[in-house]
Amino acid sequence: MLTHVRPFAAVTGALVLAASLTACGGSTAASDEKVVTVYSADGLKGEAGDGWYDKVFEDFEKQTGIKVKYVEGGSGEMVQRALREKSNTQADVLVTLPPFIQQAGSKGLLQAYAPQGSDRVDGADKAADGTWTSVVNNYFGFVHNKKELPTAPRTWEELLDRKYENRLQYSTPGVAGDGTAVLIKAMHDFGGREPAMEYLKKLQANNVGPSSSTSKLAPKVDKGELLVANGDVQMNFAQSKSMPNLGIWFPAKGNGKPTTFALPYAAGLVNEAPHAENGRKLLDFLLSEGAQRQVSAVGGGFPAREDVRPTDANALALAKLLEGVEVFEPDWADIDANLTAYVDAWKSATGS
């Protein structure tokens, strides 16, 4: 899996049904119905109704009169659900992390639409064919319990220590976006699939077991049930406001630098969406300057638009987190083509 380093730029599981879905297949739904259905990876909706989604969906509904119906789960779960419903499409907008947004595109789940403001999004953060655009930039990371583990581990190798036995967990690759990111980072840091799988096989001795949703792990770390878990900067930074024991860190390999990579929330208009026009309006709204300025202040993430450069306290703290961390860019085309093989290799190595 080829990768190359690019400089940092601050641009960057059970299903949770937030509202009952009506039978809104294309043959039965009125095209002018004031509703839009969003299938999304978890992380942008607040635990206490105070997340970026909570704010922008409320503002969108007030401005347009269009009600947002929201379904969330792991990135892979959302794509698989949309795929199962392909003959009777329910979702209008799909939001997932890489490589699942690329997977959705390659499976014909998305239609081309360039939202207003997408011209301000870096080319690496949107599809060349216009089927998806990042709406919140983000980075992969880990969390530790600051009370029981005041100093975060520095390296992958430290996690093999027996003190982490049954106190470490990462979400399931192939199901959760952040879980898949564990594979991607390990393959980068260890120099390929085989050495990464050899390491993850050893790590399995300390791993609690599978989790379809990464967002469920941070509360366990905060409470001290776990010492370490995977996550992502945006989600964990937002969670840390109500979970004071969470600390964000980035593993290094041996004596190397800590590394991470961009893991944006990318949104696309679903092919044959029952409320496509409403979906377009929501995508425009998510990339509007006002919504983008709230990404850091409210959501704890990084704006997708390069022309939005917030200076709020969260934005400054987020930039500081990434100081000294090497940001690499995965070969997403390779990962999209070989994801099944990588996940199968992980299952074989770990006995999962």
Side-chain angles (χ1 to χ4, degrees):
M1 183 187 68
L2 299 175
T3 60
H4 66 274
V5 176
R6 67 172 180 175
F8 163 67
V11 294
T12 255
L15 298 178
V16 178
L17 186 59
S20 299
L21 293 180
T22 59
C24 54
S27 61
T28 59
S31 61
D32 61 350
E33 189 179 358
K34 303 289 278 186
V35 66
V36 60
T37 299
V38 177
Y39 283 10
S40 178
D42 50 4
L44 292 175
K45 203 170 192 304
E47 298 282 339
D50 55 354
W52 186 68
Y53 271 163
D54 301 285
K55 174 61 175 170
V56 296
F57 287 170
E58 180 182 2
D59 291 346
F60 176 73
E61 289 176 10
K62 286 180 180 177
Q63 180 173 309
T64 65
I66 298 170
K67 173 71 175 177
V68 178
K69 293 185 176 182
Y70 177 71
V71 182
E72 77 171 29
S75 285
E77 283 183 284
M78 293 294 91
V79 172
Q80 288 304 309
R81 177 165 180 159
L83 191 60
R84 290 195 302 270
E85 297 170 349
K86 200 172 181 181
S87 62
N88 183 28
T89 306
Q90 303 292 304
D92 300 301
V93 171
L94 178 67
V95 185
T96 71
L97 306 180
F100 296 100
I101 194 67
Q102 290 90 344
Q103 185 183 84
S106 66
K107 291 183 180 296
L109 292 177
L110 305 175
Q111 57 178 295
Y113 178 64
Q116 295 176 24
S118 61
D119 59 322
R120 302 290 188 170
V121 176
D122 185 84
D125 297 323
K126 58 188 177 184
D129 62 2
T131 51
W132 57 266
T133 306
S134 298
V135 292
V136 171
N137 276 348
N138 191 18
Y139 294 87
F140 177 63
F142 280 73
V143 288
H144 68 105
N145 181 291
K146 294 193 295 185
K147 185 176 181 181
E148 293 193 43
L149 198 66
T151 301
R154 200 191 72 80
T155 68
W156 286 104
E157 289 83 356
E158 288 179 53
L159 298 180
L160 299 176
D161 191 285
R162 301 310 291 177
K163 74 178 180 181
Y164 294 104
E165 185 175 4
N166 294 322
R167 305 291 301 279
L168 174 152
Q169 190 173 17
Y170 61 90
S171 51
T172 307
V175 175
D178 290 323
T180 306
V182 172
L183 288 187
I184 294 170
K185 177 171 158 58
M187 286 191 289
H188 171 270
D189 289 1
F190 284 88
R193 179 169 68 177
E194 295 307 318
M197 298 310 158
E198 183 180 342
Y199 169 80
L200 292 172
K201 180 179 181 179
K202 295 176 184 176
L203 186 65
Q204 195 66 10
N206 289 342
N207 187 19
V208 170
S211 173
S212 62
S213 175
T214 312
S215 65
K216 306 300 183 186
L217 301 182
K220 295 180 181 180
V221 174
D222 182 62
K223 293 173 185 174
E225 295 174 24
L226 298 172
L227 290 177
V228 170
N230 70 314
D232 62 67
V233 173
Q234 176 277 324
M235 178 173 64
N236 296 142
F237 187 86
Q239 289 172 318
S240 69
K241 300 302 182 182
S242 59
M243 302 178 192
N245 294 322
L246 283 189
I248 298 171
W249 66 289
F250 308 91
K253 167 69 171 68
N255 294 323
K257 289 184 178 180
T259 69
T260 188
F261 62 96
L263 202 61
Y265 292 89
L269 185 66
V270 177
N271 196 27
E272 298 188 9
H275 310 100
E277 187 54 37
N278 295 345
R280 293 184 186 96
K281 290 178 180 178
L282 179 60
L283 289 169
D284 290 347
F285 194 84
L286 295 178
L287 274 179
S288 66
E289 186 173 343
Q292 286 289 297
R293 289 199 176 279
Q294 295 172 345
V295 167
S296 58
V298 177
F302 304 82
R305 286 179 53 155
E306 293 182 302
D307 61 329
V308 175
R309 299 182 177 88
T311 57
D312 58 88
N314 283 355
L316 298 177
L318 287 163
K320 188 172 180 62
L321 271 176
L322 289 167
E323 288 180 359
V325 179
E326 181 181 277
V327 179
F328 66 92
E329 185 175 330
D331 183 343
W332 291 115
D334 169 79
I335 294 165
D336 184 34
N338 296 293
L339 179 60
T340 299
Y342 294 149
V343 173
D344 286 346
W346 170 81
K347 288 178 180 178
S348 177
T350 61
S352 299

